[in-house]
Amino acid sequence: MAEVETVPVEVDQVEQAAESRDRNNEPIVFDESLLIYVKGKVVQPKQPDHTESRLFISKLQAEITKRGDRIKEIKSIEEQMRGNAKGASSGNKDIINNLKTLRDQRGTVIRQKQAIRDELQSCDATRESIRAEMRSIRDKNRNINPEKIEQDIKDLEFKLAHETLPDQEEKRVQTQLTQLTAARPLAKKYAEFDARLKETEAQRTGIMARLKESNDVIAQLDTQIAAANA
């Protein structure tokens, strides 16, 4: 490599000479004392080799493209997951609403069932009250058949009117007639209670049927609720 010999350079002098030359358009005059002398041959610098840098840039661009594609892929996956989550959320909402509807229906049927049970309890109380009245009448008089009483009264009245009876027999017939006549109101009342009892029994049968229907509906709703929770 060529050796370089340096000499002191006055910077202010160079700048002043340049300014003076620019003003006057005078030919450039060099102060040889300010020049740098180089010994040997001056070697022209080599042009830089851009092959490696271009290869590096190419690899960098490829990596950027790869990462960009990966980012797009991730975004696509995220959007799909959000869509699936939204769909799942909508599906879950439908299930929850269905469960709520079933449970509300079950609650309504249970309240109806309780009302039916209260009605049954009232019917049973009425039935027991009627039975107690009928037992009381039977205890007072065993002859509680209104039709038989009316027929017996007619027979005795006919006997007294058309037959000649001994005094003792006549008194007995009159006593029987008096007893049967006194039994008329009780027999009539017993017949009324008996009719009411039959109505109550028919009403109770209907209540029991409705109660069974309520139990069947509750069982069906329980099955549907269990299936919805599965």
Side-chain angles (χ1 to χ4, degrees):
M1 184 175 179
E3 296 180 359
V4 179
E5 181 180 353
T6 61
V7 296
V9 178
E10 294 293 337
V11 176
D12 292 340
Q13 294 178 4
V14 173
E15 292 178 351
Q16 292 174 2
E19 291 176 357
S20 177
R21 182 177 63 253
D22 292 337
R23 290 195 299 267
N24 301 324
N25 270 332
E26 297 177 355
I28 298 174
V29 179
F30 297 99
D31 186 353
E32 293 184 358
S33 63
L34 299 177
L35 295 177
I36 299 173
Y37 295 95
V38 179
K39 294 181 179 181
K41 184 178 180 181
V42 177
V43 179
Q44 184 178 3
K46 294 182 179 181
Q47 293 293 330
D49 187 359
H50 298 289
T51 303
E52 185 175 352
S53 61
R54 290 194 185 98
L55 181 60
F56 176 76
I57 292 172
S58 177
K59 290 182 178 180
L60 183 61
Q61 289 177 341
E63 185 66 22
I64 291 172
T65 302
K66 179 180 178 182
R67 292 181 181 273
D69 293 341
R70 179 56 179 165
I71 290 173
K72 291 180 181 179
E73 181 182 357
I74 292 173
K75 287 183 178 180
S76 176
I77 294 173
E78 289 178 348
E79 291 176 358
Q80 183 178 0
M81 291 177 65
R82 281 194 294 268
N84 293 339
K86 185 177 180 180
S89 177
S90 177
N92 291 336
K93 185 176 180 180
D94 291 341
I95 293 173
I96 292 172
N97 289 337
N98 185 39
L99 275 172
K100 184 179 183 302
T101 300
L102 291 174
R103 286 168 178 161
D104 289 344
Q105 290 176 353
R106 187 179 187 276
T108 300
V109 176
I110 287 177
R111 288 191 293 272
Q112 292 174 349
K113 177 183 175 182
Q114 184 57 47
I116 294 172
R117 291 181 66 87
D118 293 341
E119 187 178 352
L120 177 63
Q121 186 176 359
S122 176
C123 181
D124 287 344
T126 300
R127 183 179 65 168
E128 290 304 317
S129 176
I130 293 172
R131 284 176 173 176
E133 293 288 347
M134 294 176 72
R135 281 194 300 268
S136 176
I137 293 173
R138 285 196 305 269
D139 291 341
K140 293 176 182 177
N141 192 343
R142 291 293 177 179
N143 193 358
I144 54 176
N145 189 332
E147 295 179 357
K148 186 176 184 305
I149 288 176
E150 293 299 327
Q151 185 63 45
D152 289 344
I153 289 174
K154 288 179 181 180
D155 291 343
L156 292 174
E157 287 177 344
F158 182 85
K159 192 173 185 178
L160 289 173
H162 297 88
E163 293 182 12
T164 302
L165 301 173
D167 293 340
Q168 187 174 1
E169 179 66 17
E170 185 177 351
K171 289 180 180 179
R172 187 183 67 79
V173 171
Q174 288 178 348
T175 300
Q176 288 179 349
L177 184 60
T178 301
Q179 291 174 347
L180 288 172
T181 303
R184 267 178 172 172
L186 290 177
K188 183 179 179 180
K189 191 173 183 180
Y190 188 90
E192 292 174 353
F193 279 128
D194 186 61
R196 286 179 57 191
L197 182 62
K198 290 177 181 178
E199 291 177 358
T200 304
E201 291 290 356
Q203 182 182 4
R204 190 178 190 278
T205 300
I207 293 172
M208 291 298 295
R210 287 158 51 203
L211 189 62
K212 183 179 181 302
E213 290 177 358
S214 298
N215 289 330
D216 292 341
V217 172
I218 291 173
Q220 292 174 3
L221 289 172
D222 286 340
T223 301
Q224 294 178 19
I225 291 172
N229 280 323

